[in-house]
Amino acid sequence: MYGLPKTHKDGLPLRPVMSSIGSYNYRLAKVLAARLQPLRQSQYILRDSFDFVNSLKKLHARMTKHQMISFDVTSLFTKVPLAYTIDLILVRLYGIGDKCGDGINKKKREDWCSTCQNRADLKQLLEIATSDTHFSFNGKYYKQHNGVAMGSPLAPLIAGIFMVDLERKLMKKLRKKGVLWYKRFVDDTFVITRKKADSDKLLKILNSHHPDIQFTLAKEENQQLAFLDVLVSRRAKSFVTTVYRKPTYTGLLTKWTSFVPRQYKVSPVSTMIYRGIQLTSSYALMHQEMDYIRSVCQRNGYPINFIENQIRKTLVRYMQKQAECSREANGQATGQTTVQEVKHNTMTKEVKDKDRDIERIFMEVPFTGKSTRKFIQDVKGIARDLKPTAKIIAVSKPPKAVRHFFQNKDPISKDLQSNIVYKLSCSSCPATYIGETTRQMFRRLKEHGAMQPSKPTPEDGVRRSARIAAKTKNGSCNSVALCSSSNDRNGDNTVSTDNNSAVARHAQETGHNIDWKNWIILSKDMHPYRLCVREALAIAEFQPSLNVTVRSVPLFVFPEGYSSRRKGIERELKHNKKIQ
């Protein structure tokens, strides 16, 4: 776990973030988030600040006579009640209560109806994906028992479902107390109320929904209120909007002299320009925003010709998009199409059909300057000649920034890492073993015969759900069974009690000691097949004596491994130089 400081707030509070990519419940969380997405839909939700500005434009002029306020939830993600929200999901999907009645606990699962079985299964999956979250901080391991971790695919969904329930239950009370217009983006809410409405009473109503979820209130000042990145002003007959930047904004961009691909410099500038066009409600405000963008870019060393070129290109794209939208709207309103529109639609259809037949091939290229651009152009030219239906999309990867050389996150213990290719060595002889595992390494070490694997052990409850822990406590679940499934190759898919792995057999037959502490991580990969390829390459390179299988997948490009192939290429180059 690591924290991002909220520089715009007093005391610099941290926003806790836990990277769950690669964790045991990450893929489950992604599947559940995709399936449960419709449950967070609501008429009050905003997609982004552009949607917010467009919604303001549709309001009647008389709404400007009322007052604006905004609410913000204090630490929504880390304080959202998990058990409460999981019950909300189950009620939305399956209704209130179990279909089998109050006696469901006395029945066997086989006697339950399909609805009750599905309800129980989904509840268990949600608990595994949310409440069984472990993280390390300052060398200690913790389990999150409430709230959702920022970084989990389910975090926005759980928070959104809770907020939808809050609005559904409290909206009538809020309307009675003077709320006229209500819009929300995640945990930030923009509200227009009657002039005489008591905003403190509205705050009290919101805070009464759940003791863990508390709101803060912000009122307009001088008929102005900032919401998201928009500054809203009330005028006589309309709302005036422009771009809002917090006082802590420094205007720092990627320097023009930075050694990065050109697109890294184009994207932030064009994004600022597009945002300025979309969020400003008048040409005068847009002109002011463009002047500000020019000054920010020039302070970062950008040439004025580059800035003006980006402003012109972005404006042209925006105007073309607006013209196309208005043309479609007029066609739908009249029900008629002109000759020009028919030609445009025909050309658009032809372009879409042509794009559908094109095979897109993505290629990552290390950025080295002009040579990278030349290389990409050459590859695209070769692709056009050899395979016209293919389109090469090259992504230039810049060199590592300075921050990559400084550790700002707690390192994950070796024994807790997964999706790795590892190398074990014998302490008494040169024998070595190379394998791969998609699970945590301490489990694999135990299967190899390690009597006392490094902490944490399965008995400490690491990555074990409350359900499995309860079974183990009651004696209905064997702790060895938790590690019985193995993704490792080389015929070592057995648990440590049998000591049937190649490493365990070597220790038994020779009486040697395996170095369980100083094992090495050779490579990592999240994709199972690529992990097998990396394992095969490592076996071909190091030639470990304990491996039964030569390789887990066939090698076509580097049949002798990375280093052998590299040495062979070097020998060929030296030989060619001698001939020349």
Side-chain angles (χ1 to χ4, degrees):
M1 183 180 74
Y2 63 97
L4 297 177
K6 301 179 182 180
T7 57
H8 60 285
K9 293 189 177 181
D10 296 334
L12 289 178
L14 293 178
R15 179 183 289 108
V17 180
M18 282 183 278
S19 178
S20 60
I21 297 177
S23 61
Y24 77 104
N25 56 4
Y26 177 73
R27 293 183 180 179
L28 172 62
K30 286 192 70 174
V31 172
L32 291 175
R35 297 295 179 90
L36 301 177
Q37 196 67 28
L39 296 182
R40 65 181 295 194
Q41 294 178 358
S42 171
Q43 59 178 325
Y44 306 113
I45 291 179
L46 295 168
R47 293 191 304 273
D48 47 36
S49 54
F50 302 149
D51 186 26
F52 172 64
V53 171
N54 292 332
S55 300
L56 282 177
K57 292 178 181 178
K58 298 176 183 178
L59 291 178
H60 197 275
R62 64 172 178 268
M63 296 292 283
T64 58
K65 299 178 182 179
H66 304 288
Q67 65 175 347
M68 302 179 296
I69 58 176
S70 68
F71 298 103
D72 182 22
V73 182
T74 304
S75 303
L76 172 62
F77 281 49
T78 55
K79 291 186 177 180
V80 61
L82 267 180
Y84 179 85
T85 310
I86 290 176
D87 288 339
L88 284 177
I89 295 173
L90 298 177
V91 170
R92 292 280 300 276
L93 294 177
Y94 303 106
I96 300 175
D98 296 312
K99 300 294 182 182
C100 295
D102 298 333
I104 186 172
N105 295 328
K106 299 179 182 179
K107 298 179 181 179
K108 294 182 179 180
R109 180 182 173 86
E110 293 77 12
D111 298 331
W112 295 0
C113 65
S114 59
T115 302
C116 290
Q117 290 183 8
N118 294 338
R119 185 190 187 103
D121 290 341
L122 180 59
K123 182 177 181 179
Q124 182 179 334
L125 290 173
L126 287 169
E127 289 174 349
I128 292 173
T130 54
S131 59
D132 285 343
T133 301
H134 301 84
F135 61 92
S136 63
F137 184 73
N138 283 343
K140 295 183 179 180
Y141 294 93
Y142 300 87
K143 178 179 178 180
Q144 184 170 351
H145 61 85
N146 201 18
V148 286
M150 294 189 68
S152 170
L154 270 176
L157 178 75
I158 295 293
I161 291 174
F162 177 84
M163 292 300 295
V164 168
D165 176 73
L166 179 146
E167 292 159 356
R168 183 174 58 84
K169 293 179 178 178
L170 299 182
M171 190 52 67
K172 287 185 178 180
K173 293 182 180 179
L174 295 174
R175 297 286 188 192
K176 289 180 180 179
K177 295 297 181 180
V179 171
L180 300 174
W181 196 70
Y182 180 101
K183 288 292 180 181
R184 175 178 58 84
F185 180 79
V186 189
D187 60 344
D188 294 321
T189 306
F190 185 89
V191 181
I192 298 178
T193 66
R194 293 190 179 92
K195 270 193 173 182
K196 296 182 179 180
D198 190 345
S199 55
D200 293 327
K201 288 184 178 180
L202 296 175
L203 178 64
K204 188 175 181 180
I205 292 173
L206 291 172
N207 288 336
S208 65
H209 181 67
H210 197 280
D212 292 341
I213 302 299
Q214 298 297 301
F215 290 76
T216 58
L217 171 66
K219 301 179 182 179
E220 66 176 51
E221 295 182 3
N222 300 323
Q223 297 185 347
Q224 289 185 337
L225 182 65
F227 182 72
L228 303 179
D229 57 345
V230 183
L231 181 63
V232 185
S233 304
R234 288 194 296 114
R235 295 294 181 262
K237 295 183 179 180
S238 64
F239 289 97
V240 177
T241 59
T242 187
V243 178
Y244 171 75
R245 295 177 178 86
K246 294 177 180 178
T248 54
Y249 177 73
T250 59
L252 183 64
L253 300 176
T254 301
K255 297 294 183 181
W256 180 256
T257 55
S258 297
F259 189 70
V260 295
R262 182 181 176 86
Q263 191 59 37
Y264 281 60
K265 303 169 186 177
V266 172
S267 296
V269 177
S270 60
T271 300
M272 287 194 300
I273 296 169
Y274 184 77
R275 185 177 65 164
I277 296 171
Q278 285 277 50
L279 299 187
T280 51
S281 56
S282 66
Y283 286 109
L285 292 173
M286 185 176 70
H287 182 71
Q288 293 178 9
E289 180 64 19
M290 295 302 119
D291 287 342
Y292 182 82
I293 293 173
R294 289 187 184 95
S295 64
V296 169
C297 293
Q298 286 182 313
R299 287 201 302 269
N300 287 274
Y302 287 71
I304 189 63
N305 292 337
F306 171 83
I307 303 169
E308 296 296 339
N309 188 33
Q310 294 305 315
I311 293 175
R312 183 176 64 256
K313 286 183 178 180
T314 308
L315 277 171
V316 169
R317 286 197 300 267
Y318 176 76
M319 297 303 293
Q320 289 176 347
K321 185 177 179 181
Q322 291 296 106
E324 185 175 347
C325 292
S326 62
R327 186 165 52 245
E328 291 178 358
N330 292 334
Q332 292 176 358
T334 59
Q336 299 177 355
T337 54
T338 62
V339 176
Q340 290 81 2
E341 289 174 348
V342 171
K343 290 182 178 180
H344 177 268
N345 294 337
T346 304
M347 293 175 63
T348 304
K349 186 176 183 301
E350 291 176 354
V351 170
K352 289 182 178 179
D353 293 340
K354 186 177 179 181
D355 290 342
R356 195 180 295 113
D357 297 334
I358 291 177
E359 178 186 358
R360 289 173 173 80
I361 301 174
F362 292 88
M363 179 180 66
E364 185 179 280
V365 183
F367 179 73
T368 58
K370 294 182 179 179
S371 58
T372 300
R373 292 194 291 270
K374 180 67 168 58
F375 174 76
I376 293 174
Q377 291 175 359
D378 293 343
V379 171
K380 289 183 177 180
I382 294 172
R384 280 194 298 269
D385 296 336
L386 297 179
K387 194 174 183 180
T389 58
K391 181 179 180 181
I392 302 295
I393 301 176
V395 180
S396 299
K397 185 177 181 180
K400 289 184 178 180
V402 176
R403 60 184 175 86
H404 286 93
F405 297 96
F406 297 91
Q407 185 70 32
N408 60 350
K409 301 179 184 178
D410 286 342
I412 301 175
S413 172
K414 281 202 313 179
D415 294 336
L416 284 178
Q417 295 196 35
S418 55
N419 297 295
I420 60 174
V421 177
Y422 60 90
K423 180 182 178 182
L424 281 170
S425 302
C426 179
S427 302
S428 308
C429 69
T432 57
Y433 174 87
I434 291 176
E436 59 85 20
T437 182
T438 58
R439 298 169 297 127
Q440 287 178 322
M441 187 58 190
F442 76 87
R443 300 181 185 274
R444 186 58 182 145
L445 289 178
K446 189 173 181 179
E447 293 173 356
H448 280 309
M451 300 303 295
Q452 293 181 349
S454 302
K455 293 181 180 180
T457 63
E459 285 71 23
D460 295 327
V462 176
R463 270 184 34 170
R464 178 181 295 181
S465 66
R467 174 182 58 87
I468 296 178
K471 285 186 177 181
T472 306
K473 186 176 181 180
N474 297 332
S476 60
C477 178
N478 190 345
S479 62
V480 175
L482 298 176
C483 307
S484 60
S485 62
S486 172
N487 292 325
D488 295 54
R489 272 69 184 174
N490 304 314
D492 299 329
N493 298 336
T494 52
V495 296
S496 60
T497 52
D498 296 332
N499 288 334
N500 198 29
S501 74
V503 178
R505 287 196 301 270
H506 174 76
Q508 286 180 348
E509 294 171 359
T510 61
H512 292 176
N513 295 321
I514 305 299
D515 191 354
W516 300 113
K517 293 184 179 180
N518 298 319
W519 58 274
I520 303 171
I521 297 178
L522 298 178
S523 59
K524 304 178 183 179
D525 205 305
M526 296 298 299
H527 194 279
Y529 182 79
R530 291 199 299 263
L531 191 66
C532 293
V533 173
R534 291 180 181 274
E535 180 198 25
L537 289 169
I539 293 173
E541 178 179 347
F542 293 100
Q543 298 293 322
S545 58
L546 297 181
N547 285 72
V548 178
T549 306
V550 178
R551 61 190 56 144
S552 49
V553 293
L555 299 177
F556 300 104
V557 181
F558 301 113
E560 298 178 354
Y562 280 136
S563 62
S564 301
R565 179 59 181 161
R566 185 167 58 249
K567 292 177 182 177
I569 293 173
E570 291 175 356
R571 285 196 299 268
E572 291 177 7
L573 292 174
K574 290 180 180 179
H575 179 69
N576 293 336
K577 287 182 179 179
K578 289 180 180 179
I579 294 175
Q580 293 175 357

CSV table of all heavy atoms in Angstrom, one decimal, residues 102-135:
chain,number,residue,atom,x,y,z
A,102,ASP,N,-37.3,-19.0,6.4
A,102,ASP,CA,-36.4,-18.9,7.5
A,102,ASP,C,-35.7,-20.2,7.8
A,102,ASP,O,-34.7,-20.2,8.5
A,102,ASP,CB,-37.2,-18.5,8.8
A,102,ASP,CG,-37.9,-17.1,8.6
A,102,ASP,OD1,-37.3,-16.3,7.8
A,102,ASP,OD2,-38.9,-16.8,9.2
A,103,GLY,N,-36.2,-21.3,7.3
A,103,GLY,CA,-35.6,-22.6,7.7
A,103,GLY,C,-34.5,-23.0,6.7
A,103,GLY,O,-34.1,-24.2,6.7
A,104,ILE,N,-33.9,-22.0,6.0
A,104,ILE,CA,-32.9,-22.3,5.0
A,104,ILE,C,-31.6,-22.9,5.6
A,104,ILE,O,-30.9,-23.7,5.1
A,104,ILE,CB,-32.6,-21.1,4.1
A,104,ILE,CG1,-31.6,-21.5,3.0
A,104,ILE,CG2,-32.0,-20.0,5.0
A,104,ILE,CD1,-31.4,-20.4,2.0
A,105,ASN,N,-31.3,-22.4,6.8
A,105,ASN,CA,-30.1,-22.8,7.5
A,105,ASN,C,-30.2,-24.3,8.0
A,105,ASN,O,-29.2,-24.9,8.2
A,105,ASN,CB,-29.8,-21.9,8.7
A,105,ASN,CG,-29.5,-20.5,8.3
A,105,ASN,OD1,-28.9,-20.3,7.2
A,105,ASN,ND2,-29.9,-19.5,9.1
A,106,LYS,N,-31.4,-24.8,8.1
A,106,LYS,CA,-31.6,-26.2,8.6
A,106,LYS,C,-31.6,-27.1,7.4
A,106,LYS,O,-31.5,-28.3,7.6
A,106,LYS,CB,-32.9,-26.3,9.3
A,106,LYS,CG,-33.0,-25.4,10.6
A,106,LYS,CD,-34.3,-25.6,11.3
A,106,LYS,CE,-34.4,-24.7,12.5
A,106,LYS,NZ,-35.7,-24.8,13.2
A,107,LYS,N,-31.7,-26.6,6.2
A,107,LYS,CA,-31.7,-27.5,5.0
A,107,LYS,C,-30.3,-27.6,4.5
A,107,LYS,O,-29.4,-26.8,4.7
A,107,LYS,CB,-32.6,-26.9,3.9
A,107,LYS,CG,-34.0,-26.7,4.3
A,107,LYS,CD,-34.8,-26.1,3.2
A,107,LYS,CE,-36.3,-25.9,3.5
A,107,LYS,NZ,-37.0,-25.2,2.4
A,108,LYS,N,-30.1,-28.7,3.8
A,108,LYS,CA,-28.8,-28.9,3.0
A,108,LYS,C,-28.8,-28.0,1.8
A,108,LYS,O,-29.9,-27.7,1.3
A,108,LYS,CB,-28.7,-30.4,2.6
A,108,LYS,CG,-28.5,-31.3,3.8
A,108,LYS,CD,-28.3,-32.7,3.3
A,108,LYS,CE,-28.1,-33.7,4.5
A,108,LYS,NZ,-27.9,-35.1,4.0
A,109,ARG,N,-27.6,-27.7,1.3
A,109,ARG,CA,-27.5,-26.8,0.2
A,109,ARG,C,-28.2,-27.4,-1.0
A,109,ARG,O,-28.8,-26.7,-1.9
A,109,ARG,CB,-26.1,-26.5,-0.1
A,109,ARG,CG,-25.9,-25.6,-1.3
A,109,ARG,CD,-24.4,-25.4,-1.6
A,109,ARG,NE,-24.2,-24.7,-2.8
A,109,ARG,CZ,-24.2,-23.3,-2.9
A,109,ARG,NH1,-24.4,-22.6,-1.9
A,109,ARG,NH2,-24.1,-22.7,-4.1
A,110,GLU,N,-28.2,-28.8,-1.2
A,110,GLU,CA,-28.8,-29.4,-2.3
A,110,GLU,C,-30.3,-29.2,-2.3
A,110,GLU,O,-30.9,-29.3,-3.4
A,110,GLU,CB,-28.5,-30.9,-2.3
A,110,GLU,CG,-27.0,-31.3,-2.5
A,110,GLU,CD,-26.1,-31.0,-1.3
A,110,GLU,OE1,-26.7,-30.8,-0.2
A,110,GLU,OE2,-24.9,-31.0,-1.4
A,111,ASP,N,-30.9,-28.9,-1.2
A,111,ASP,CA,-32.3,-28.8,-1.1
A,111,ASP,C,-32.8,-27.3,-1.3
A,111,ASP,O,-33.9,-27.0,-1.3
A,111,ASP,CB,-32.8,-29.3,0.3
A,111,ASP,CG,-32.6,-30.7,0.5
A,111,ASP,OD1,-32.5,-31.5,-0.5
A,111,ASP,OD2,-32.4,-31.2,1.6
A,112,TRP,N,-31.8,-26.4,-1.4
A,112,TRP,CA,-32.1,-25.0,-1.7
A,112,TRP,C,-32.6,-24.8,-3.1
A,112,TRP,O,-32.3,-25.6,-4.0
A,112,TRP,CB,-30.9,-24.1,-1.5
A,112,TRP,CG,-30.4,-24.1,-0.1
A,112,TRP,CD1,-30.9,-24.7,1.0
A,112,TRP,CD2,-29.3,-23.3,0.4
A,112,TRP,NE1,-30.1,-24.4,2.1
A,112,TRP,CE2,-29.1,-23.6,1.7
A,112,TRP,CE3,-28.4,-22.4,-0.2
A,112,TRP,CZ2,-28.1,-23.0,2.5
A,112,TRP,CZ3,-27.4,-21.9,0.5
A,112,TRP,CH2,-27.2,-22.1,1.9
A,113,CYS,N,-33.4,-23.8,-3.3
A,113,CYS,CA,-33.8,-23.4,-4.6
A,113,CYS,C,-32.7,-22.8,-5.4
A,113,CYS,O,-31.7,-22.4,-4.8
A,113,CYS,CB,-35.0,-22.5,-4.6
A,113,CYS,SG,-34.7,-20.9,-3.9
A,114,SER,N,-32.8,-22.7,-6.7
A,114,SER,CA,-31.7,-22.1,-7.5
A,114,SER,C,-31.4,-20.7,-7.1
A,114,SER,O,-30.2,-20.2,-7.1
A,114,SER,CB,-32.0,-22.3,-9.0
A,114,SER,OG,-33.2,-21.6,-9.3
A,115,THR,N,-32.4,-19.9,-6.8
A,115,THR,CA,-32.2,-18.5,-6.4
A,115,THR,C,-31.4,-18.4,-5.2
A,115,THR,O,-30.5,-17.6,-5.1
A,115,THR,CB,-33.6,-17.8,-6.2
A,115,THR,OG1,-34.4,-17.9,-7.4
A,115,THR,CG2,-33.4,-16.4,-5.9
A,116,CYS,N,-31.7,-19.2,-4.2
A,116,CYS,CA,-31.0,-19.1,-2.9
A,116,CYS,C,-29.5,-19.6,-3.1
A,116,CYS,O,-28.6,-19.0,-2.5
A,116,CYS,CB,-31.6,-20.0,-1.8
A,116,CYS,SG,-33.2,-19.3,-1.3
A,117,GLN,N,-29.3,-20.6,-3.9
A,117,GLN,CA,-28.0,-21.0,-4.2
A,117,GLN,C,-27.2,-19.9,-4.9
A,117,GLN,O,-26.0,-19.7,-4.6
A,117,GLN,CB,-28.0,-22.3,-5.1
A,117,GLN,CG,-28.5,-23.5,-4.3
A,117,GLN,CD,-28.5,-24.8,-5.2
A,117,GLN,OE1,-27.9,-24.8,-6.3
A,117,GLN,NE2,-29.0,-25.9,-4.7
A,118,ASN,N,-27.8,-19.3,-5.9
A,118,ASN,CA,-27.1,-18.2,-6.6
A,118,ASN,C,-26.8,-17.1,-5.7
A,118,ASN,O,-25.7,-16.4,-5.8
A,118,ASN,CB,-27.9,-17.8,-7.8
A,118,ASN,CG,-28.0,-18.8,-8.9
A,118,ASN,OD1,-27.2,-19.7,-9.0
A,118,ASN,ND2,-29.1,-18.7,-9.7
A,119,ARG,N,-27.7,-16.8,-4.8
A,119,ARG,CA,-27.6,-15.7,-3.9
A,119,ARG,C,-26.4,-15.9,-3.0
A,119,ARG,O,-25.5,-15.1,-2.7
A,119,ARG,CB,-28.9,-15.5,-3.1
A,119,ARG,CG,-28.9,-14.3,-2.1
A,119,ARG,CD,-30.1,-14.4,-1.2
A,119,ARG,NE,-30.2,-13.2,-0.4
A,119,ARG,CZ,-31.0,-12.2,-0.6
A,119,ARG,NH1,-31.8,-12.3,-1.6
A,119,ARG,NH2,-31.0,-11.1,0.2
A,120,ALA,N,-26.3,-17.2,-2.4
A,120,ALA,CA,-25.2,-17.5,-1.5
A,120,ALA,C,-23.9,-17.5,-2.3
A,120,ALA,O,-22.8,-17.1,-1.7
A,120,ALA,CB,-25.5,-18.9,-0.9
A,121,ASP,N,-23.9,-18.0,-3.5
A,121,ASP,CA,-22.6,-18.0,-4.3
A,121,ASP,C,-22.1,-16.6,-4.6
A,121,ASP,O,-20.9,-16.3,-4.4
A,121,ASP,CB,-22.8,-18.8,-5.6
A,121,ASP,CG,-23.0,-20.3,-5.4
A,121,ASP,OD1,-22.6,-20.7,-4.3
A,121,ASP,OD2,-23.6,-20.9,-6.3
A,122,LEU,N,-23.0,-15.7,-5.0
A,122,LEU,CA,-22.6,-14.4,-5.3
A,122,LEU,C,-22.1,-13.6,-4.0
A,122,LEU,O,-21.1,-12.9,-4.1
A,122,LEU,CB,-23.8,-13.6,-5.9
A,122,LEU,CG,-23.5,-12.1,-6.3
A,122,LEU,CD1,-22.3,-12.0,-7.3
A,122,LEU,CD2,-24.7,-11.4,-6.8
A,123,LYS,N,-22.8,-13.9,-2.9
A,123,LYS,CA,-22.3,-13.2,-1.7
A,123,LYS,C,-20.9,-13.7,-1.3
A,123,LYS,O,-20.1,-12.9,-0.9
A,123,LYS,CB,-23.3,-13.6,-0.5
A,123,LYS,CG,-22.9,-12.9,0.8
A,123,LYS,CD,-24.0,-13.3,1.9
A,123,LYS,CE,-23.6,-12.6,3.2
A,123,LYS,NZ,-24.6,-12.8,4.2
A,124,GLN,N,-20.7,-15.0,-1.5
A,124,GLN,CA,-19.3,-15.5,-1.2
A,124,GLN,C,-18.3,-14.9,-2.1
A,124,GLN,O,-17.2,-14.6,-1.7
A,124,GLN,CB,-19.4,-17.0,-1.3
A,124,GLN,CG,-18.0,-17.7,-0.9
A,124,GLN,CD,-18.1,-19.2,-1.0
A,124,GLN,OE1,-19.2,-19.8,-0.9
A,124,GLN,NE2,-17.0,-19.8,-1.3
A,125,LEU,N,-18.6,-14.8,-3.4
A,125,LEU,CA,-17.7,-14.3,-4.4
A,125,LEU,C,-17.4,-12.8,-4.0
A,125,LEU,O,-16.2,-12.3,-4.1
A,125,LEU,CB,-18.2,-14.4,-5.8
A,125,LEU,CG,-18.3,-15.8,-6.4
A,125,LEU,CD1,-19.0,-15.8,-7.7
A,125,LEU,CD2,-16.9,-16.4,-6.5
A,126,LEU,N,-18.4,-12.0,-3.7
A,126,LEU,CA,-18.2,-10.6,-3.3
A,126,LEU,C,-17.3,-10.5,-2.1
A,126,LEU,O,-16.5,-9.6,-2.0
A,126,LEU,CB,-19.5,-9.9,-3.1
A,126,LEU,CG,-20.4,-9.7,-4.4
A,126,LEU,CD1,-21.8,-9.2,-4.0
A,126,LEU,CD2,-19.7,-8.6,-5.3
A,127,GLU,N,-17.5,-11.3,-1.1
A,127,GLU,CA,-16.7,-11.3,0.1
A,127,GLU,C,-15.3,-11.6,-0.2
A,127,GLU,O,-14.3,-11.0,0.3
A,127,GLU,CB,-17.3,-12.2,1.1
A,127,GLU,CG,-18.6,-11.8,1.7
A,127,GLU,CD,-19.2,-12.8,2.6
A,127,GLU,OE1,-18.8,-13.9,2.7
A,127,GLU,OE2,-20.2,-12.4,3.4
A,128,ILE,N,-15.1,-12.6,-1.1
A,128,ILE,CA,-13.7,-13.0,-1.4
A,128,ILE,C,-13.0,-11.8,-2.2
A,128,ILE,O,-11.8,-11.5,-1.9
A,128,ILE,CB,-13.7,-14.3,-2.3
A,128,ILE,CG1,-14.1,-15.5,-1.5
A,128,ILE,CG2,-12.3,-14.5,-2.9
A,128,ILE,CD1,-14.3,-16.7,-2.3
A,129,ALA,N,-13.7,-11.2,-3.1
A,129,ALA,CA,-13.1,-10.1,-3.9
A,129,ALA,C,-13.0,-8.8,-3.2
A,129,ALA,O,-12.2,-7.9,-3.6
A,129,ALA,CB,-14.0,-9.9,-5.1
A,130,THR,N,-13.6,-8.6,-2.0
A,130,THR,CA,-13.5,-7.3,-1.3
A,130,THR,C,-13.0,-7.4,0.1
A,130,THR,O,-12.0,-6.8,0.4
A,130,THR,CB,-14.9,-6.7,-1.2
A,130,THR,OG1,-15.9,-7.6,-0.6
A,130,THR,CG2,-15.4,-6.3,-2.6
A,131,SER,N,-13.6,-8.3,0.9
A,131,SER,CA,-13.2,-8.3,2.4
A,131,SER,C,-11.9,-9.1,2.6
A,131,SER,O,-11.2,-8.8,3.6
A,131,SER,CB,-14.3,-8.9,3.2
A,131,SER,OG,-14.6,-10.2,2.8
A,132,ASP,N,-11.5,-10.0,1.7
A,132,ASP,CA,-10.3,-10.7,1.9
A,132,ASP,C,-9.1,-10.0,1.2
A,132,ASP,O,-8.4,-10.6,0.3
A,132,ASP,CB,-10.4,-12.2,1.4
A,132,ASP,CG,-11.3,-13.0,2.3
A,132,ASP,OD1,-11.4,-12.6,3.5
A,132,ASP,OD2,-11.8,-14.1,1.9
A,133,THR,N,-8.9,-8.8,1.5
A,133,THR,CA,-7.8,-8.0,0.9
A,133,THR,C,-6.7,-7.8,1.9
A,133,THR,O,-6.9,-7.3,3.0
A,133,THR,CB,-8.3,-6.6,0.4
A,133,THR,OG1,-9.4,-6.8,-0.5
A,133,THR,CG2,-7.2,-5.8,-0.2
A,134,HIS,N,-5.5,-8.2,1.5
A,134,HIS,CA,-4.3,-8.1,2.4
A,134,HIS,C,-3.3,-7.1,1.7
A,134,HIS,O,-3.2,-7.1,0.5
A,134,HIS,CB,-3.6,-9.5,2.6
A,134,HIS,CG,-4.5,-10.5,3.2
A,134,HIS,ND1,-5.4,-11.2,2.4
A,134,HIS,CD2,-4.7,-10.9,4.5
A,134,HIS,CE1,-6.1,-12.0,3.2
A,134,HIS,NE2,-5.7,-11.8,4.5
A,135,PHE,N,-2.6,-6.4,2.6
A,135,PHE,CA,-1.6,-5.5,2.0
A,135,PHE,C,-0.5,-5.4,3.1
A,135,PHE,O,-0.7,-5.7,4.3
A,135,PHE,CB,-2.2,-4.1,1.7
A,135,PHE,CG,-2.8,-3.4,2.9
A,135,PHE,CD1,-2.1,-2.5,3.7
A,135,PHE,CD2,-4.2,-3.7,3.2
A,135,PHE,CE1,-2.7,-1.9,4.7
A,135,PHE,CE2,-4.7,-3.0,4.3
A,135,PHE,CZ,-4.0,-2.1,5.1
